[in-house]
Amino acid sequence: TDDNNVLLGNYFSGNTSGSVQDLGVGTILRAPANQQFFGLEKQYYVMTNNSGAQRVAGDVVIMNPQGTVINGFTTTTTAGDPKVIGVVAETIANTAAGRIQILGNLTTLKANGTTDIAVGDLLSTFTTATISKKASAGEVAFAIALEAYSIDDSNGVIDAILITPRQL
């Protein structure tokens, strides 16, 4: 049950007793190609918060290099923003560095349900900072919903799989 480890080339049978127990932040699990378990693999970048405020787990963020800080991030109010990089994995103070999850399963994604989200829907950035929504044609999607959300607000927190961003 350690955290902040990289486990490569192992067989992962699940997140239960007798197997790897992922504590949520910092552990990268990679199984051999013939034994991949989509929901267990995760990847992170350590990035610097250039958003002007503290960010917390579940916040959707975009790339924001500034000067010599090429690994900077901030928030966006652009729907389907093509600069989307991932989701904050831990509390990160303004100007501090912390982990941004870029691939894999997470349970903290903030979501807006004005356009109903169903399991399997692709997700993009929303017009409210730090929130995701159901992606529309022409937008860049960065996640797949693993949970539905259909309440007309931005208070949702859903399970999702982060994917490599792609334009719809």
Side-chain angles (χ1 to χ4, degrees), residues 13 15 18 23 25 54 57-58 82 93 95 105 124 126 138 143 146 158 162 167:
S13 62
N15 203 11
L23 296 180
V25 178
Q54 176 177 282
T95 72
N105 184 50
S124 64
F126 186 52
L146 296 178
I158 64 172
L162 297 181
Q167 187 168 4

Side-chain angles (χ1 to χ4, degrees), residues 116-140:
D116 292 357
I117 296 171
V119 173
D121 282 344
L122 290 169
L123 304 173
S124 64
T125 58
F126 186 52
T127 56
T128 299
T130 74
I131 309 293
S132 68
K133 69 168 189 71
K134 181 176 179 173
S136 299
E139 294 181 341
V140 172

Side-chain angles (χ1 to χ4, degrees), residues 1-16 19-32 35-44 103-105:
T1 58
D2 285 342
D3 206 6
N4 296 313
N5 292 296
V6 178
L7 303 172
L8 303 173
N10 295 281
Y11 176 78
F12 304 116
S13 62
N15 203 11
T16 60
S19 182
V20 173
Q21 293 185 345
D22 180 11
L23 296 180
V25 178
T27 297
I28 298 172
L29 308 172
R30 286 276 168 93
Q35 298 172 354
Q36 297 283 338
F37 287 91
F38 190 55
L40 291 179
E41 294 201 26
K42 296 182 179 186
Q43 188 173 342
Y44 302 86
L103 293 173
N105 184 50

